[in-house]
Amino acid sequence: MTTADRPVGRVVPRWQDTTLPVSDRVDALLAEMTLAEKVGQLGSCWVGNDMAEQAEGSRVAPLPDVFAKAGSVPLAEASRHGLGHLTRVYGSRPATVAEGAAELVASQHTVLRNSRLGIPALVHEECLTGFTTYGATVYPAAIAWAATFDPDLVRRMAAAIGRDMRALGVHQGLAPVLDVVRDYRWGRVEETMGEDPFLVAMLGAAYVHGLEGAGVIATLKHFAGYSASRAARNHAPAPIGRRELMDVILPPFEAAIEVGGARSVMIAYSDVDGVPAGVDSWLLNDLLRDDWGFTGTVVSDYWAVAFLATMHRVVADTDQAGVAALAAGIDVELPNTLAFGQHLMSRIRDGELCESIVDRSVHRLLAQKVELGLLDPDWTPESSVATAADVDLDSPANRALAAELAERSIVLLDAGSALPLVDDGRAAPGRVAVVGPCAADSRTLMGCYAFPNHVLPRHPGMALGVTVPTVVDALRAELPDTELVHEPGCDVRDEDRSGFAAAAAAARGADLCVAVVGDRAGLFGNGTSGEGCDTEDLRLPGVQADLLAELFATGTPVVVVVVSGRPYALGDVHPRAAGLVQAFMPGQEGAAAIAGVLSGRVQPAGKLPVQVPRRPGGQPGTYLQPPLGANTDGISSVDPTPLFPFGYGRSYTTFEVDDLRVSATELPTDGELAVSVRVRNTGARAGHEVVQLYLRDVVAQVTRPVRQLAGFAAVRLEPGASARVRFHVHADRSAFTGRELRRIVEPGEVEVLAGTSATDLPCRATVRLTGATRVVGHDRQLTTPVDLQAGETDADEH
């Protein structure tokens, strides 16, 4: 119904009365709904889902044959009692903004015609590397955001994504991914923000703040334990204990809710210690709702409810899966209604399911529809896309932000003898050979949830929809007076070595060789990185390591650029490279950022959110290790020392961190401490440094990490300039899960360390926590506020 269709003087129902509180409006609507209408709100429909008909090599989800029937249900039938969500109207196939908006309007009208009370559907889309739709800006992958160590930059990106989505009638975005990396072999490392829970928490909360601030519901995923799967296999069991879950996996979700204001959570596919997330009432009710006070919606990952029967086998069939998942705390089934269908009515009549459980979930979803304005009397499908025609999904402002993120994310591992290529005392090389499978392939710059990699493989022949220069293109523009020759050498993943000879010849005939190696993102085995693209070890994919060996043997200096979604073992590469750069899938503006770092125009600023291993085996091995996990005293024949540690990254200037000051050497277990250091730019160029603060529990009742990140600040300084970075560290920041599985702050000595990486920590002090052991909960301090003061200061710290 449109506004014009309403009779003059019509009484507005209480649930459309915008002067009433949200809860009152929802209660009034629930009272008007039949049981069938309530159940209808629990489901979703993916219009145009062609998963059963995809070309070979282009799957977007596992087991498409099993779920083809869901994609074949027409929207009119799927919504005949109403509908909770419309799935990926813009993100399923290439379409213009006008075409997508028209489809959304038509779909909403179908839902409204089938809803006796006129309840629209909530529209959700993917948005991990930008709005996942044709022609939208492709930002760097999440692992690249993490390399910036800059929450405000991530917030700005998320706000831009949210504004574009909201203008097109989208209400919910399926991001961010808050899984903490536990094993680099996992294919979805590229979607994460690294291996430290505090870094993931702060960047994730910033993303949520930006998206929610634009009026789009942020969805935290994957809750919880997904990244801890055995052998890093997608969907594999997560054999972790409650302590690791509480101290490593869950803190980012908690912070994104409390600090960021997230309104939705998506469950993980995996099971933790034998209990799938979809039936884990402790996780979804006791912890999330009761302890954390979360009031938003819990949605299933795609087909995860049905997977309880087909993959986990904890219930007999899909119908039972729906009953179990709803009772455990899932509110909405995505992307299609398989398990939350009308069969639930008979389960209620038979006493197997309480209607109050249905009411509970429907209340949560309807509250969000009220908050989004969908139940206001003047809302229409047309009004939801009224400004769509004015939206440029790849605007100059978006591209500038994507370029800023890309430039800040590039990690200089070693300048070696060749970088920067252009300097005050060095002219650009006359002839450069650009070699490697990632040098002239735009898709290698983007993650698996970027539209060109996620959807376009099912539409061969379609243009990318956005301009994505290659590294070869960018180097030609960056070095206009240099002769560039290009040879791929090999494919990203094939075993074909027939291109080695031409690549080696090009290198021999050049003054310098730039080798661009790494990943091409894909889905379910159709890439070397991405969902379902796990790896057995951390060798460079295919024969790329052999290609590098051929290039090194030519005697020409070789600068190696790794464009990847995960860290690869570079112990054999580093000693032979004339320069080494890590670029974590930097997006559509990434090639220019890489070229700028190589030339020296861009000052490298990125820091490693994951360690770079020395050897391809011996996984998993993140920096969060207790003493025995990091031991190198000959106890094991496997040395866990990384080639480059967490938080590491160089630049073309130099920085010094010194003059540590602490406000006290003792504080109570409920007190706060000020810790400050001075950071100075001791080089000749302006640049960014990330000052990092770590804590080490000297003696604790359970084993604790040798060091763990507790605070960080990105600081930009001109040559010769300095700043004082002050961290406000509450005793709660030392909390951990004790022997009785309660989170505690324990008295005793805590070492405070500051520097520029997890192993470069020149500033150290010891503080003693005094008083009784405190049990802390969700109300504890989750953040470490930071103040920056330019210039020298001799003021006492208080």
Side-chain angles (χ1 to χ4, degrees):
M1 179 181 291
T2 65
T3 303
D5 293 330
R6 281 194 192 95
V8 176
R10 182 180 72 92
V11 177
V12 174
R14 280 181 58 80
W15 52 270
Q16 287 189 326
D17 186 347
T18 58
T19 67
L20 294 177
V22 170
S23 184
D24 288 358
R25 293 175 64 183
V26 173
D27 289 342
L29 181 53
L30 268 176
E32 296 290 331
M33 297 174 72
T34 66
L35 179 57
E37 289 170 337
K38 293 176 186 177
V39 171
Q41 292 296 310
L42 305 176
S44 57
C45 184
W46 193 349
V47 178
N49 172 22
D50 61 354
M51 303 234 337
E53 303 168 359
Q54 293 173 41
E56 182 178 354
S58 59
R59 288 195 297 166
V60 299
L63 306 178
D65 52 327
V66 176
F67 304 107
K69 62 178 183 180
S72 65
V73 176
L75 176 60
E77 180 180 343
S79 63
R80 61 193 175 96
H81 296 290
L83 191 70
H85 276 234
L86 281 167
T87 296
R88 294 177 64 177
V89 176
Y90 292 95
S92 299
R93 57 186 175 276
T96 65
V97 168
E99 290 167 342
E103 182 176 339
L104 186 146
V105 168
S107 296
Q108 287 283 29
H109 275 297
T110 298
V111 173
L112 291 175
R113 282 194 299 271
N114 284 335
S115 174
R116 179 178 61 91
L117 298 171
I119 305 172
L122 190 151
V123 180
H124 76 257
E125 297 282 351
E126 297 283 1
C127 58
L128 185 60
T129 63
F131 185 1
T132 304
T133 190
Y134 191 64
T137 301
V138 179
Y139 294 92
I143 193 68
W145 319 340
T148 71
F149 276 66
D150 191 333
D152 188 62
L153 186 53
V154 172
R155 179 195 60 77
R156 287 163 48 206
M157 175 198 65
I161 295 169
R163 285 191 296 269
D164 288 345
M165 295 173 73
R166 197 69 174 98
L168 269 61
V170 178
H171 309 111
Q172 182 162 344
L174 303 187
V177 171
L178 299 184
D179 299 306
V180 178
V181 174
R182 303 303 285 158
D183 191 327
Y184 308 134
R185 296 173 298 174
W186 192 46
R188 303 192 81 166
V189 167
E190 65 167 70
E191 300 178 48
T192 76
M193 288 171 272
E195 65 184 66
D196 180 85
F198 183 67
L199 177 64
V200 177
M202 294 301 97
L203 296 177
Y207 183 99
V208 168
H209 188 260
L211 201 69
E212 291 275 1
V216 175
I217 294 172
T219 310
L220 312 181
K221 56 188 195 183
H222 305 87
F223 194 66
Y226 188 31
S227 60
S229 61
R230 183 179 282 118
R233 294 181 63 250
N234 192 37
H235 291 215
I240 60 174
R242 182 63 59 87
R243 183 171 292 104
E244 182 175 349
L245 185 70
M246 295 293 292
D247 288 351
V248 178
I249 302 298
L250 292 174
F253 293 91
E254 186 177 12
I257 292 168
E258 178 66 21
V259 179
R263 287 183 285 170
S264 192
V265 170
M266 174 179 279
I267 66 152
Y269 287 122
S270 54
D271 69 80
V272 173
D273 195 24
V275 181
V279 291
D280 192 343
S281 182
W282 171 82
L283 182 70
L284 302 182
N285 286 315
D286 299 351
L287 179 79
L288 180 65
R289 304 287 185 183
D290 298 342
D291 291 354
W292 293 359
F294 179 68
T295 59
T297 56
V298 174
V299 301
S300 76
D301 205 337
Y302 283 15
W303 300 291
V305 178
F307 284 176
L308 295 172
T310 60
M311 296 177 70
H312 291 293
R313 300 180 187 176
V314 294
V315 291
D317 55 35
T318 300
D319 287 0
Q320 287 189 15
V323 173
L326 192 63
I330 297 178
D331 300 312
V332 182
E333 182 185 16
L334 303 180
N336 286 300
T337 306
L338 290 173
F340 279 11
Q342 292 298 313
H343 72 89
L344 293 175
M345 294 174 60
S346 63
R347 302 290 175 143
I348 292 170
R349 287 193 295 268
D350 294 343
E352 187 178 346
L353 179 68
C354 293
E355 186 173 354
S356 62
I357 298 295
V358 172
D359 288 350
R360 178 183 71 178
S361 291
V362 176
H363 195 287
R364 293 165 182 164
L365 176 64
L366 292 179
Q368 293 186 341
K369 291 188 177 184
V370 170
E371 292 166 356
L372 291 162
L374 294 176
L375 300 182
D376 291 355
D378 59 350
W379 184 92
T380 65
E382 289 78 8
S383 68
S384 71
V385 296
T387 61
D390 301 324
V391 175
D392 181 355
L393 292 177
D394 192 29
S395 67
N398 284 1
R399 294 195 301 272
L401 185 53
E404 184 180 358
L405 270 157
E407 290 181 357
R408 289 284 303 280
S409 73
I410 307 298
V411 183
L412 177 64
L413 297 176
D414 193 344
S417 59
L419 298 179
L421 300 180
V422 182
D423 205 353
D424 290 341
R426 176 189 294 158
R431 183 180 173 91
V432 173
V434 185
V435 175
C438 299
D441 184 350
S442 297
R443 289 180 55 203
T444 62
L445 300 168
M446 299 177 283
C448 76
Y449 270 80
F451 194 88
N453 285 338
H454 198 75
V455 177
L456 286 186
R458 306 203 310 277
H459 302 271
M462 285 288 297
L464 293 181
V466 289
T467 300
V468 188
T470 67
V471 175
V472 172
D473 297 331
L475 281 171
R476 285 202 172 104
E478 191 77 29
L479 305 171
D481 298 326
T482 296
E483 180 186 358
L484 259 66
V485 295
H486 167 247
E487 290 289 343
C490 65
D491 183 68
V492 168
R493 54 193 301 215
D494 290 348
E495 301 293 321
D496 186 1
R497 292 173 167 79
S498 61
F500 280 18
R508 276 192 296 269
D511 301 312
L512 178 82
C513 177
V514 175
V516 190
V517 296
D519 282 320
R520 183 187 298 116
L523 292 163
F524 304 103
N526 296 305
T528 59
S529 175
E531 186 172 0
C533 296
D534 314 313
T535 187
E536 294 178 352
D537 59 40
L538 296 174
R539 294 177 177 86
L540 285 166
V543 294
Q544 293 181 78
D546 296 339
L547 173 63
L548 289 179
E550 293 281 335
L551 297 176
F552 292 141
T554 65
T556 299
V558 180
V559 172
V560 178
V561 179
V562 182
V563 181
S564 64
R566 65 164 64 82
Y568 284 105
L570 302 176
D572 292 336
V573 173
H574 179 223
R576 306 178 71 182
L580 189 55
V581 172
Q582 173 67 58
F584 290 112
M585 292 183 173
Q588 73 179 64
E589 301 295 328
I594 292 169
V597 166
L598 294 179
S599 72
R601 173 181 57 84
V602 173
Q603 174 71 285
K607 296 285 187 174
L608 290 174
V610 287
Q611 302 192 123
V612 173
R614 190 177 302 274
R615 300 175 185 84
Q619 297 302 312
T622 70
Y623 95 100
L624 284 179
Q625 298 289 337
L628 281 177
N631 189 279
T632 58
D633 294 336
I635 291 175
S636 170
S637 58
V638 177
D639 184 353
T641 306
L643 181 63
F644 297 105
F646 175 84
Y648 173 92
R650 293 291 186 236
S651 71
Y652 297 139
T653 188
T654 55
F655 294 93
E656 185 174 303
V657 177
D658 61 9
D659 193 18
L660 172 70
R661 302 176 186 179
V662 295
S663 59
T665 56
E666 289 191 358
L667 76 157
T669 53
D670 61 353
E672 184 177 283
L673 178 73
V675 179
S676 74
V677 293
R678 177 180 58 183
V679 55
R680 293 183 293 164
N681 185 340
T682 56
R685 294 184 56 176
H688 285 85
E689 181 57 279
V690 177
V691 179
Q692 300 165 41
L693 180 74
Y694 294 80
L695 298 181
R696 182 175 78 89
D697 205 332
V698 177
V699 176
Q701 61 178 255
V702 297
T703 59
R704 300 286 294 132
V706 172
R707 64 190 68 83
Q708 185 164 0
L709 186 70
F712 59 90
V715 185
R716 188 183 188 280
L717 293 172
E718 295 295 323
S722 67
R724 182 157 289 277
V725 182
R726 181 181 293 107
F727 299 95
H728 300 274
V729 186
H730 197 280
D732 289 354
R733 300 293 296 116
S734 70
F736 62 92
T737 302
R739 294 182 186 177
E740 297 178 356
L741 296 181
R742 296 186 300 173
R743 195 181 304 277
I744 61 173
V745 178
E746 193 176 40
E749 290 188 343
V750 174
E751 192 171 6
V752 178
L753 310 97
T756 59
S757 78
T759 59
D760 182 10
L761 299 167
C763 300
R764 299 177 180 231
T766 299
V767 175
R768 177 173 291 277
L769 297 179
T770 61
T773 296
R774 288 175 58 232
V775 176
V776 296
H778 180 62
D779 58 349
R780 72 191 186 282
Q781 180 66 37
L782 299 175
T783 65
T784 303
V786 183
D787 299 329
L788 299 180
Q789 182 177 352
E792 283 286 337
T793 176
D794 294 320
D796 291 337
E797 300 294 335
H798 298 287

